Amino acid sequence: MLSQSTLSPAERRFLEDGVRQGFRNDGRGLLDYRPYTVETGILPSTSGSSRVRSFGTDVLCAVKVDMGSPPADKPDEGVVSVNVECSASVAPHGELEGGSSSRATGRVGGGRRDDSGEGWSAYLGALLDDLCLPPCALDKKALCVSPHVYAWHVNVDILLLNAAGGVLDAMSLAMRSALRDTTLPSVSVGSRDEWEEEDTADGVQQSKPPFDVDERPTAGTPFPAQDIPVCVTVGQVCSHYVWDMSSEEESCAEAQVTVAVDRNGRCVAVHKSGMASIDPTGLLQVLKDAGRVGVELIKKLEAAMAKLGTGQPVVRERLGFMAA
Amino acid sequence: MNVSILTPSGPSPLDSSGGISSQQQLVMPGQVIPTHSGYMRGHGTTEENGQLIATVCGLVEQVSALIYVRPLRSRYVGEVGDVIVGRVDEIGNGRWYVEVCSSQRAQLHLAAINLPGSVQRRRTEEDEKEMRRFLAEGDILSTEVQRVQSDGLILLHTRSAKYGKLENGCLVQVPPQLVRRQASHMVNLPCEPPVGVVLGNNGYIWVGLPQRESARDTINYALGEVTYQAVSPPQRQAICRVRNCIAALSAHYLQLTPQSIMDVYSASVRGKLEVSSLTNPEVVRDLIREYIKTKT
């Protein structure tokens, strides 16, 4: 319903003057954030789920854990795959009209000529995987149940319901809180003897040992998500750095830098998008500020999740989509 | 730096005071609407296995035998004389195609604008080549509905001193249902300093510097005469506060009139709320609660 078309020169000028004065269209200063609203555990059929909203942006994240084989080259690790899907109404505007990329340049990843709605989701998914799930942030070995035999396959499905700026940031928050909400069931794998017995009985086909799942909700272990970073995106508008941009501001941003920050304020990954270049001297300050913002975000997120009772096997009343 | 993360809160302050009377039935798509014999099927409904089923989310309305569902949200449906704010999407065929949140783009013909200097003559091919000088793609304009065709296509005109390109402000989008037809759609709100608002019936609202009231404006107003002006910080603060107040009313699905905007504006000033604090849904909820209390 609310289209995100190009800004008129008049609007752009008004916005850019505001940025120069340090007073944005919604009254915020350049470094001010809008509040995020977070709810966890809203999808009962998943292992962990969350919904993150920030004004127009609305992200739903579901985590599903499955028992599977570890990858052949890394037999002692689990598998985490991130999949992003955009609802039809939020596909970048230019792409619906035959791929004129100029309209999409404001977006993270915009301006790539081959963008299609699907391409954009795949790009966001890959970006999120790169930024938020590097080996230093997630110990994949902890996801292995039995080397060469069983490991957890963790599917993180992110659904972008509505986009109005700060998509990547909201997605990373949703992913972190959904993974924090996830409990890995306690599993006991049958002994090696049983397995081999079955193996011979089965002949050619290699079978796997049976496993038992402890179905008590208290029995599982929480997913090792403490070190997963959150993304903090900064846009460069008229040589000023603007934080937590609205979609209008994103379309005025010449370039964007996304910094993934972990709970200790360490910078895990940096990604730059957009057509313009960025002054490297300012970048250092951006990284410092991003560290502060990221730590604060994670601290507040943890506090909010504690309030919600995230990851606890207690049935709570959910507001879900009836929330205001 | 001010980062905060909220947890979802309960229903909107409106829910208890109620916008929907208990006599009206709210239906979801697919829900069966109770009927009597000999009814007539109206908009927003379909018939299946002899049952009347809603196809939109809205309120069931009945006019004698006719039963229809009035949708809670819909796109803008044009009516002659409506003041609307739109964005130029495309230029061609001697007309501007204007995005107005309707089911199709509205059209503004070259013949439906005033030429600079308000000369009265036939539009030539030269004029057609110069169209971008008046309004280019992306530009926002205030305009009026001249005619609505049977298929819902809206034809616009700007043949009045008050319509034309909008500058020095920002656009807020709200559901079109929230802007009723009212006495005046282009007002200068008595804020400190004053703020000009154009309340488009299509839900596009322009907030910016007040419209100048000079003598020549009343005679005629050529497109392109509105020019860029530097906006001073106090002026910008007032504009942004009005913008946030409109967004606050819209977030709680309340009617937008100059009066309601001013009421929320004064309530926010009285409450000594920072403009930026109006981006916090919890602050907005309290503000709206305050506003409803003073109204009733």
Side-chain angles (χ1 to χ4, degrees), chain B residues 39-192:
Chain B
Y39 70 90
M40 275 166 66
R41 188 172 70 82
H43 284 296
T45 61
T46 183
E47 243 163 5
E48 217 168 88
N49 306 327
Q51 284 181 315
L52 192 65
I53 289 166
T55 54
V56 292
C57 172
L59 297 169
V60 179
E61 301 271 355
Q62 189 165 6
V63 180
S64 59
L66 178 76
I67 298 175
Y68 68 97
V69 180
R70 186 158 59 87
L72 285 183
R73 276 175 191 238
S74 65
R75 285 187 166 253
Y76 169 67
V77 180
E79 243 175 77
V80 175
D82 278 358
V83 174
I84 59 182
V85 175
R87 188 193 293 276
V88 176
D89 196 41
E90 201 181 328
I91 300 174
N93 271 337
R95 65 196 75 176
W96 289 272
Y97 295 91
V98 185
E99 209 279 300
V100 292
C101 196
S102 182
S103 53
Q104 49 186 328
R105 290 180 300 184
Q107 294 184 4
L108 173 66
H109 282 255
L110 182 53
I113 66 160
N114 280 322
L115 293 175
S118 60
V119 279
Q120 302 291 332
R121 59 172 170 80
R122 277 184 72 93
R123 307 300 195 257
T124 60
E125 218 167 282
E126 303 305 308
D127 292 324
E128 204 172 319
K129 285 179 189 153
E130 296 268 277
M131 279 172 75
R132 267 192 192 83
R133 235 188 54 210
F134 307 132
L135 287 166
E137 286 95 342
D139 278 349
I140 293 180
L141 71 154
S142 60
T143 157
E144 189 179 302
V145 178
Q146 182 171 38
R147 200 148 56 86
V148 182
Q149 288 188 354
S150 54
D151 61 349
L153 178 72
I154 299 166
L155 299 174
L156 306 167
H157 79 90
T158 59
R159 260 193 242 100
S160 162
K162 42 188 186 180
Y163 302 131
K165 189 150 98 182
L166 294 166
E167 280 255 18
N168 308 315
C170 55
L171 187 75
V172 196
Q173 300 183 352
V174 303
Q177 292 77 16
L178 299 186
V179 186
R180 285 266 169 86
R181 287 158 195 107
Q182 48 210 20
S184 180
H185 285 269
M186 303 169 114
V187 284
N188 287 339
L189 296 177
C191 313
E192 198 48 56

Side-chain angles (χ1 to χ4, degrees), chain A residues 20 63 73 77 104 110 120 122 127-128 135 149 176 183 240 268 275 306:
Chain A
R20 284 198 200 95
V63 178
D73 53 337
E77 287 188 6
W120 193 52
L127 200 54
L128 215 53
V149 189
R176 187 183 154 96
T183 311
H240 288 78
V268 175
M275 309 301 257

Side-chain angles (χ1 to χ4, degrees), chain A residues 100-215:
Chain A
S100 81
S101 57
S102 62
R103 295 187 165 199
T105 45
R107 301 266 183 121
V108 174
R112 301 179 325 132
R113 296 216 177 273
D114 58 337
D115 267 354
S116 64
E118 266 174 46
W120 193 52
S121 333
Y123 175 74
L124 283 175
L127 200 54
L128 215 53
D129 192 34
D130 270 358
L131 289 174
C132 294
L133 298 173
C136 62
L138 178 65
D139 178 20
K140 287 193 179 150
K141 290 200 166 69
L143 298 177
C144 182
V145 178
S146 167
H148 293 282
V149 189
Y150 282 128
W152 290 112
H153 284 217
V154 181
N155 294 300
V156 181
D157 288 299
I158 298 175
L159 181 60
L160 184 60
L161 295 167
N162 206 358
V167 169
L168 208 54
D169 298 15
M171 280 181 174
S172 73
L173 279 176
M175 183 159 88
R176 187 183 154 96
S177 44
L179 286 173
R180 292 281 286 140
D181 186 41
T182 303
T183 311
L184 295 173
S186 149
V187 169
S188 50
V189 180
S191 69
R192 198 130 188 121
D193 310 338
E194 281 177 71
W195 177 23
E196 261 143 21
E197 261 170 44
E198 254 189 56
D199 203 354
T200 47
D202 227 6
V204 191
Q205 207 181 12
Q206 180 153 12
S207 71
K208 291 199 163 183
F211 61 83
D212 283 318
V213 179
D214 192 338
E215 282 178 9

Side-chain angles (χ1 to χ4, degrees), chain A residues 1-3 5-11 13-15 17-19 21 23-29 31-39 53 55 93 97 103 173 248 289 292-293 296-297 300-301 304-305 307-308 319 322-324, chain B residues 1-12 73-75 87 89 99 101 137-140 166-171 173-177 204 206 228-233 236-237 239-240 243-244 275-276 278-281 285:
Chain A
M1 185 151 144
L2 307 178
S3 72
S5 39
T6 44
L7 286 183
S8 76
E11 285 175 287
R13 207 146 39 181
F14 183 81
L15 197 149
D17 280 357
V19 168
Q21 290 176 3
F23 195 84
R24 298 204 248 165
N25 275 5
D26 51 11
R28 285 181 293 153
L31 236 164
D32 287 344
Y33 265 69
R34 294 170 295 188
Y36 288 96
T37 305
V38 173
E39 190 174 15
R53 287 176 292 161
F55 269 55
H93 197 76
E97 294 177 3
R103 295 187 165 199
L173 279 176
E248 290 92 21
D289 286 341
R292 275 168 46 218
V293 170
E296 197 66 17
L297 266 177
K300 296 270 171 69
L301 186 66
M305 286 193 300
K307 202 170 138 197
L308 289 164
L319 284 163
M322 300 306 275
Chain B
M1 182 187 71
N2 183 15
V3 179
S4 59
I5 291 188
L6 313 172
T7 50
S9 43
S12 151
R73 276 175 191 238
S74 65
R75 285 187 166 253
R87 188 193 293 276
D89 196 41
E99 209 279 300
C101 196
E137 286 95 342
D139 278 349
I140 293 180
L166 294 166
E167 280 255 18
N168 308 315
C170 55
L171 187 75
Q173 300 183 352
V174 303
Q177 292 77 16
Y204 286 18
W206 182 262
Y228 167 71
Q229 271 177 278
V231 180
S232 67
R236 183 178 295 277
Q237 195 151 348
I239 291 173
C240 295
R243 176 200 175 278
N244 283 356
V275 180
S276 58
L278 296 177
T279 54
N280 185 330
R285 172 190 305 271

Side-chain angles (χ1 to χ4, degrees), chain A residues 233-289:
Chain A
T233 301
V234 190
Q236 184 180 283
V237 181
C238 299
S239 325
H240 288 78
Y241 290 108
V242 181
W243 300 67
D244 186 27
M245 291 180 290
S246 64
S247 51
E248 290 92 21
E249 284 158 349
E250 277 185 357
S251 64
C252 286
E254 301 128 20
Q256 298 187 19
V257 179
T258 302
V259 187
V261 181
D262 74 359
R263 62 182 166 146
N264 299 318
R266 280 180 306 207
C267 164
V268 175
V270 183
H271 173 83
K272 167 180 172 294
S273 60
M275 309 301 257
S277 51
I278 271 191
D279 179 13
T281 50
L283 204 55
L284 197 63
Q285 190 56 43
V286 167
L287 290 179
K288 275 184 191 155
D289 286 341

